[in-house]
């Protein structure tokens, strides 16, 4: 029976660092401020934003949620972002994704001041990651890296196979894990919907990360014994009473075969939130001390 890689202790270790840094800032009279922008009433986004807001205030940060209607014009959203960019009490700005289809996530993410880019998805910060000179890191890729390193499975020297090349997770993760130095130095294969015979690649992985958004994408047949699996997917599956959350991996069958696997929920999700708050305090330090 494989080990379950619970995200809670990893999140708790990162939260501890956030709390320490926030109290050092408080001693200088600075309270790190996070602005969270939500557009529309997508139930998953409502729930994620609530979690992030609560987690921020629980660690001594100041958090403010801005809610705009789903039909808001892009100019109005960009104007709010511009106002938050100029607010000295706001050190991190997060726009919850996905956005309604009439809004361009590229334009919206690029409008956030890169120094306040709590999500680490601004083109400048992604560019710095590619150059090997990272600043604020994208939250979910860093969460995956933290889980691996802090659970005793550092990616260095391993073959990591990533399924999914999305901008939020798979693509930046492939760069993060293959960069030079601690937490990196992996050999990475990046698979996607145009990969023929996915199993041919996933069977080669010492570590397999799946970030697709479709339940059952990663089955036990396509992962080798003793591999480590990180399941990033979050899918709502209807039940008679409402819905339940499942990942992209066939958890029950894989658990019998692998060395370790993250659960959904309770794996990558809580660590992603902790990294968001870490980014916010790091951004605050940089803005208030010039570091
Ligand atoms: P995305 O941008 O839609 O990317 C999905 C990727 O999966 C695409 O690259 C797509 O390939 C690939 N794909 C689709 N079907 C495939 C198949 N049958 N075989 C192989 N690859 C396939 O999604 P995302 O934003 O990266 O998110 C992925 C999942 O992670 C979602 O379930 C999301 O909810 C979850 N997520 C979780 C967290 C967390 O904190 N836990 C954070 C962010 C996202 P193409 O590029 O060829 O289309």
């Amino acid at each position: 029976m494989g080990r379950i890689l619970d995200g809670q202790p990893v999140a708790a270790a990162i939260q501890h660092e956030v709390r320490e840094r926030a109290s050092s800032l408080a001693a200088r009279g600075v309270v790190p401020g996070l602005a969270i922008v939500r557009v529309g009433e997508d139930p998953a986004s409502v729930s994620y934003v609530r979690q992030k807001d609560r987690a921020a205030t629980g660690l001594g940060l100041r958090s403010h949620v801005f809610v705009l209607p789903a039909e808001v014009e892009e100019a109005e959203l960009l104007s709010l972002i511009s106002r938050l960019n100029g607010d000295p009490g706001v050190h991190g700005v997060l726009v919850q994704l996905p956005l309604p289809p009439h809004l361009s996530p590229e334009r919206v993410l690029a409008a956030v001041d890169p120094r306040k880019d709590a999500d680490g998805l601004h083109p400048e910060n992604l560019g710095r990651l590619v150059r090997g000179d990272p600043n604020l890191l994208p939250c979910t890729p860093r969460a995956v890296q933290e889980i691996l390193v802090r659970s005793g499975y550092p990616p260095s020297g391993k073959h990591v196979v990533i399924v999914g090349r999305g901008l939020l997770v798979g693509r930046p993760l492939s760069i993060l894990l293959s960069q030079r130095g601690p937490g990196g130095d992996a050999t990475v294969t990046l698979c996607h919907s145009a990969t023929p015979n996915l199993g041919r690649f996933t069977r080669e992985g010492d570590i397999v990360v799946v970030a697709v958004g479709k339940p059952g994408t990663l089955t036990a047949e396509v992962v080798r014994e003793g591999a480590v699996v990180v399941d990033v997917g979050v899918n709502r599956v209807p039940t008679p009473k409402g819905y339940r959350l499942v990942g992209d991996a066939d958890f029950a069958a894989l658990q019998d075969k692998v060395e370790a696997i993250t659960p959904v929920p309770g794996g990558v999700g809580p660590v992603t939130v902790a990294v968001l708050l870490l980014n916010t305090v790091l951004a605050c330090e940089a803005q208030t001390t010039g570091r």
Side-chain angles (χ1 to χ4, degrees), residues 34-40 64-69 72-88 90 92-96 99 103 107-113 116:
L34 173 65
I36 307 175
V37 181
R38 168 162 67 76
V39 182
H64 198 297
V65 178
F66 297 81
V67 179
L68 298 176
V72 70
E73 287 192 17
E74 193 167 295
E76 195 181 326
L77 173 57
L78 295 179
S79 150
L80 171 61
I81 293 172
S82 165
R83 192 153 54 81
L84 296 172
N85 284 343
D87 183 341
V90 171
V93 177
L94 163 78
V95 181
Q96 182 66 40
L99 292 168
L103 300 171
R107 273 195 297 273
V108 170
L109 292 175
V112 174
D113 182 334
K116 297 191 176 187

Side-chain angles (χ1 to χ4, degrees), residues 140 163-166 168-169 192-193 211-214 232-234 268-269 272:
T140 307
V163 188
R165 59 179 165 186
L168 250 64
V169 190
H192 41 75
S193 69
V212 165
K214 290 181 189 161
V232 183
V234 180
V268 177
T272 296

Side-chain angles (χ1 to χ4, degrees), residues 78 81 85 93-95 97 105-130 133-139 167-168 172 279:
L78 295 179
I81 293 172
N85 284 343
V93 177
L94 163 78
V95 181
L97 299 175
E106 288 80 15
R107 273 195 297 273
V108 170
L109 292 175
V112 174
D113 182 334
R115 292 168 304 170
K116 297 191 176 187
D117 177 30
D119 233 357
L121 295 172
H122 187 281
E124 182 178 313
N125 287 322
L126 290 175
R128 286 184 62 167
L129 173 61
V130 172
D133 166 35
N135 179 30
L136 297 168
L137 288 169
C139 296
L167 182 68
L168 250 64
N279 275 352

